[in-house]
Structure formats: structure tokens, C-alpha cells
Amino acid sequence: MRIMKMDPVGAPPPAAFAEAASLARVRKGDLCAGCGACAAIAPGSVTMRMTPPGWLRPVQQGPVSAGQDAMIARVCPGLGERVEAAGRTDDPLWGPYDTMRIGHARDEALRFSGSSGGVLSAVLVHLLETGQIDAVVQTTADPEQPIGNIATISVTEAEVQAAAGSRYAPSAPLAGLNRFLENGKRYAFVGKPCDAVAMRAWQEADPRVRASFPVILSFFCAGVPSQTGGRAVLKALDADPAEVVGFRYRGNGWPGFATAVLRDGTERKMSYHDSWGKVLSKHVQHRCKICADGTGIAADIVCADAWESDERGYPLFTEGSGTSLIVARNAFGREIVEAAVKSGHVEAGPFDVSTLAGIQPGQRERRRALLARLAALRLCLRPVPDYRGLLLWQAARQNPASRNLKNFLGTLRRTLKGRGKRAS
Ligand SMILES: Cc1cc2nc3c(=O)[nH]c(=O)nc-3n(C[C@H](O)[C@H](O)[C@H](O)COP(=O)(O)OP(=O)(O)OC[C@H]3O[C@@H](n4cnc5c(N)ncnc54)[C@H](O)[C@@H]3O)c2cc1C
Ligand code: SF4
Ligand code: SF4
């Protein structure tokens, strides 16, 4: 069942009411991650719209009460994140965790469809089959615009498999979830790390959310490209958007190819290395460049690509059978993974955490650079997220001072240049 269709691009109606302070701060700092939580907290007054160059952003269409504004301020990942290790192993690059393993879905079809090893999908199937949840909130291709996304509710293994794979495009999986708070059903929620931050904070503030969404799954995330990025991939594939009837960013193999299916049944393909590395990564939103949590710290279980590496430890993107890094962020997540192994849905083995910095260079470098980038933005009086408990100093200390200075000056230069452009 489809639950959300993104509104088309459109100018918001002239506002005859005050802009919510929380949303004003997000707008001023360009801090929106596009999760959709504000639209769920203030339904009717805030909706998610596709805005140029292809971001999902909140548009305020009516008054937001003081209570709703306070809740948005508490939940919005654009405004910050609070983390407590609470006795778990903590790491400046990867955050608090319970256990890390590698593995894959035992079902070969699920493993093939999955982004890496299909473990998130296999865990979802396990949760559905054992009755721990009634349904899954996840993200899949928009049938009307295949490079775009819609949120979807899955209740069968076939539906979970159809939604497997990474979608490198905006998604706002929390928008509309207010409608699921009082139907007595339990949903697993799958989202980007920032979506997981919003879901966890909303859970902590509202017991109905905790009861309705008892399990949070996520994946490592280097950033979300705008829809312009998706269109650029189609252009590079020489695929007319009007002729594209299906589009996968990857999956169906590991890493799998960005694949456009045309109306005449033919396919156009591009490697992951080219689609992400040469096109999509150039279209990532501002909030992602200052993201302190691209590794799903707020989730119960997080998966990532457990890339094979070369002799220097750098990731290789050669096609193969998918393998996921499986991070249980807490004891609850570990118990689910262990049960999914026992029920035969997931195969899992040990993982050497010391290799992770080598195979996730993007996450490593962003985390180490973050403190310098935030300092430059603060100097320019730009609002930044309020990060607590994320060990940013320890991460920055892993960089030589010269690299921190380079990051600081680079962000400063780009911010001042952007300000000049806005002023002219
Ligand atoms: C924007 C983005 C950035 C990523 N960056 C990294 C990275 O830096 N490092 C890394 O190792 N891997 C990254 N990945 C890939 C991610 O690691 C893999 O999806 C992960 O390994 C899980 O693989 P899996 O086979 O277990 O998941 P699958 O079984 O394929 O399940 C994937 C789940 O994610 C959901 N999903 C897909 N796209 C979105 C989306 N845009 N918004 C919300 N939910 C979505 C699907 O609905 C599905 O439930 C990224 C993926 C995305 C979408
Ligand atoms: S990050 Fe989420 S909650 Fe915050 S403004 Fe954007 S859509 Fe709303
Ligand atoms: S990089 Fe961070 S802010 Fe950007 S989409 Fe991923 S989790 Fe959200």
C-alpha cells in the first residue's frame, strides 16, 4: 500500500501566520535533512514539497502551535542530535554500539536484490514472520517518477524484497506517520540515519510513537543527492526521462549497477563507481556535509557495505555476492540479529572493527573534518546543528592540524562566497 506521494514543485501560498521558530532556524541554516518529521508533528500546517533543485523540504501552510513548535525543535535532526553511550562501546568515528558483525541474507534472491547483503530486508522478513511487527515503513521507487522515492508499507516478504536496495534520492519517510499512531499496529521503521534520529527523539517524547514504531533500522549514509542528481544520471545514460519506466540506483548484485529500464524494454546501465562517484555525490545537500551521524547511531540495527579492500585497506567495488556490515546499536538490536540468525534468515560472522575506517573512507573523513567545518560556519554566524555526545573533538584529533585548517578555510571560503552571491 502506498502511503505518500510527494507534492509536485510549487510555490507555497503567501503566509498569513508566523513562521515556526524551529523551521525558521532550519531554513536560515539550510539545515533540513528532509526527514518529514515536522509534517507528521504539525499535520495540515506543514507539508513536504519537492523544491528546486530537487529537495524535499517542509512548507508551512498554516499556524504551528507553541507545543508543535517545541516538539519539532526536539525531534528535528537538522537542529541537532543527542547521544548517550550508556555503557556501550563508544568510538569517535562510529558512535556507541553493542556488536558489529558481517553477513548476508540467507535467501539468495533477497541477498541479490539488497543493496549490500540484503540483511536489512532479511531482518524485516524475520520480524514479520515472527509476528513482532505487523508491517514495515520503508522507501521504494515512485512508479510515476522512477528516479524519485515514495514511502511504502510492506506486509509480505515480496513487498519487502520489492523495496530492497539503496535509493540515492530524497525520501521523507516520517511524513504522514501521525496517521499510524492509533491503529494498534506495530511497524518497523527503516530510514536514513537522520530519519532514525527523528524517529528516536519522537519516540522518547511520545509514548504512542514508541508503541507504534518499536524497531528502527537504518544504514550508513554518505548523503542524499537532489533529484537533479538522478536526472544527471539519466542524462549520462542517454535515457529520456519520459521513456524511463523503472530505475534502480544499485542492488541486483553488489554493488550492482544504476539501471534505467526504458518503455521499449531495453536497459541502460552505469557502474556504482561512476553513478555515485562521478555524478550523484556532486549533488548532496548542505546538511549532509555537516552530518555528525551518517552511521545510524539512533537506530537499533544499522547495515552498511562491508566492502572487500585492497592491500592498502581501500574499498574495492568489484561485483560480487553482497556482504553487509551489521551493527547492533544496543542489546535489543543484538537480540533481533541473533534471532534472525537462529530463524535462518541471516548468516552472520565476526568482523574486525579496526578495518572499518579503511573500507568507509567517506564516513571517516567527514567525521574527522566536522569540527573544523562547524567552526567555520559558526564564525560566519550560520546556524549549525547542536550535536551532543558525538565525540567531535576526539574525531578531529585523528586529523593532522593542517587538514583541519584546510577544512576550516575551505568551508569559510565557500560560506562567504555563498553569502556574497545571496547578497548580490
Ligand atoms: C542515501 C544513501 C547513502 C548511503 N551511503 C552509504 C555509505 O556511506 N556507506 C555504506 O556502506 N553504505 C551506504 N549506503 C548503502 C547502505 O549501506 C546499504 O543500503 C546498506 O548496506 C544496507 O544494505 P542491505 O542490503 O542490508 O539493505 P537492503 O536489504 O537493500 O534494504 C535497504 C533498505 O533501505 C531502505 N532505503 C533505501 N533507500 C532509502 C532512502 N533513500 N531513504 C530511506 N530508506 C531507504 C529500503 O526501503 C530498504 O528497506 C547508502 C544508501 C543510501 C540510500
Ligand atoms: S530535518 Fe526533518 S523535521 Fe527538520 S525541518 Fe527538515 S523535514 Fe522537518
Ligand atoms: S548524510 Fe546525514 S543528514 Fe544527510 S541524508 Fe545521510 S544521515 Fe541524513
Side-chain angles (χ1 to χ4, degrees), residues 23 26 31-39 48 56 58 72 75-79:
L23 296 179
V26 170
L31 295 176
C32 184
C35 70
C38 49
M48 297 304 288
L56 282 167
I72 294 170
V75 166
C76 170
L79 293 176

Side-chain angles (χ1 to χ4, degrees), residues 133-189:
I133 54 164
D134 300 299
V136 180
V137 175
Q138 56 185 158
T139 295
T140 193
D142 181 347
E144 288 172 23
Q145 193 197 14
I147 58 165
N149 287 332
I150 54 168
T152 188
I153 301 289
S154 302
V155 292
T156 65
E157 175 168 356
E159 286 169 342
V160 169
Q161 185 174 343
S166 292
R167 305 279 316 160
Y168 295 108
S171 59
L174 279 101
L177 293 191
N178 51 298
R179 287 177 284 153
F180 295 76
L181 295 183
E182 268 149 23
N183 63 10
K185 295 214 163 110
R186 289 156 307 153
Y187 300 85
F189 173 83

Side-chain angles (χ1 to χ4, degrees), residues 55-406:
W55 305 120
L56 282 167
R57 293 289 177 256
V59 174
Q60 192 178 332
Q61 296 177 308
V64 170
S65 71
Q68 288 170 329
D69 196 11
M71 184 66 100
I72 294 170
R74 182 167 173 183
V75 166
C76 170
L79 293 176
E81 178 176 359
R82 280 160 199 254
V83 174
E84 281 177 31
R88 295 171 292 172
T89 307
D90 204 355
D91 184 290
L93 298 183
W94 315 118
Y97 64 92
D98 181 284
T99 40
M100 290 200 203
R101 277 174 263 199
I102 53 166
H104 56 82
R106 290 278 290 274
D107 178 329
E108 280 304 322
L110 216 48
R111 185 179 188 184
F112 183 71
S113 307
S115 185
S116 51
V119 170
L120 288 178
S121 299
V123 166
L124 292 170
V125 172
H126 161 78
L127 290 169
L128 282 169
E129 281 185 2
T130 51
Q132 292 172 76
I133 54 164
D134 300 299
V136 180
V137 175
Q138 56 185 158
T139 295
T140 193
D142 181 347
E144 288 172 23
Q145 193 197 14
I147 58 165
N149 287 332
I150 54 168
T152 188
I153 301 289
S154 302
V155 292
T156 65
E157 175 168 356
E159 286 169 342
V160 169
Q161 185 174 343
S166 292
R167 305 279 316 160
Y168 295 108
S171 59
L174 279 101
L177 293 191
N178 51 298
R179 287 177 284 153
F180 295 76
L181 295 183
E182 268 149 23
N183 63 10
K185 295 214 163 110
R186 289 156 307 153
Y187 300 85
F189 173 83
V190 188
K192 306 177 295 293
C194 49
D195 304 329
V197 170
M199 178 52 85
R200 183 67 76 196
W202 199 23
Q203 262 192 1
E204 284 166 2
D206 185 339
R208 294 173 310 158
V209 179
R210 187 181 290 281
S212 301
F213 301 98
V215 185
I216 305 176
L217 304 187
S218 190
F219 43 82
F220 278 24
C221 175
V224 160
S226 71
Q227 278 208 340
T228 300
R231 285 191 285 269
V233 172
L234 291 186
K235 191 164 181 219
L237 289 171
D238 197 21
D240 176 356
E243 294 301 310
V244 175
V245 293
F247 188 80
R248 288 186 71 94
Y249 284 85
R250 56 177 280 198
N252 282 352
W254 187 48
F257 290 78
T259 307
V261 181
L262 305 191
R263 209 174 293 282
D264 63 8
T266 58
E267 289 185 350
R268 307 271 166 89
K269 290 182 183 227
M270 189 191 273
S271 72
Y272 168 73
H273 180 265
D274 286 352
S275 63
W276 173 258
K278 295 186 182 165
V279 184
L280 294 165
S281 60
K282 314 279 187 271
H283 294 269
V284 163
Q285 61 191 351
H286 170 69
R287 172 62 176 77
C288 301
K289 293 173 188 157
I290 52 166
C291 185
D293 177 5
T295 62
I297 293 172
D300 296 306
I301 301 168
V302 192
C303 285
D305 290 296
W307 301 116
E308 301 284 335
S309 54
D310 65 16
E311 62 285 349
R312 293 167 307 151
Y314 284 102
L316 296 164
F317 300 131
T318 38
E319 282 293 309
S321 297
T323 305
S324 302
L325 170 70
I326 312 165
V327 184
R329 286 286 178 194
N330 49 38
F332 177 56
R334 175 183 16 100
E335 283 158 18
I336 293 174
V337 173
E338 283 169 356
V341 169
K342 227 180 224 163
S343 66
H345 288 94
V346 171
E347 177 97 40
F351 176 70
D352 177 0
V353 180
S354 69
T355 62
L356 189 51
I359 60 175
Q360 290 285 338
Q363 297 289 347
R364 179 192 72 210
E365 291 309 311
R366 182 173 59 188
R367 207 78 198 318
R368 288 177 177 168
L370 187 55
L371 193 73
R373 289 180 184 168
L374 293 175
L377 288 166
R378 280 205 180 94
L379 191 67
C380 298
L381 304 179
R382 283 277 297 268
V384 294
D386 179 14
Y387 293 129
R388 307 269 175 102
L390 280 140
L391 309 184
L392 301 188
W393 278 97
Q394 285 94 321
R397 275 208 295 268
Q398 295 182 5
N399 255 350
S402 57
R403 196 165 312 157
N404 282 331
L405 184 65
K406 196 173 159 206

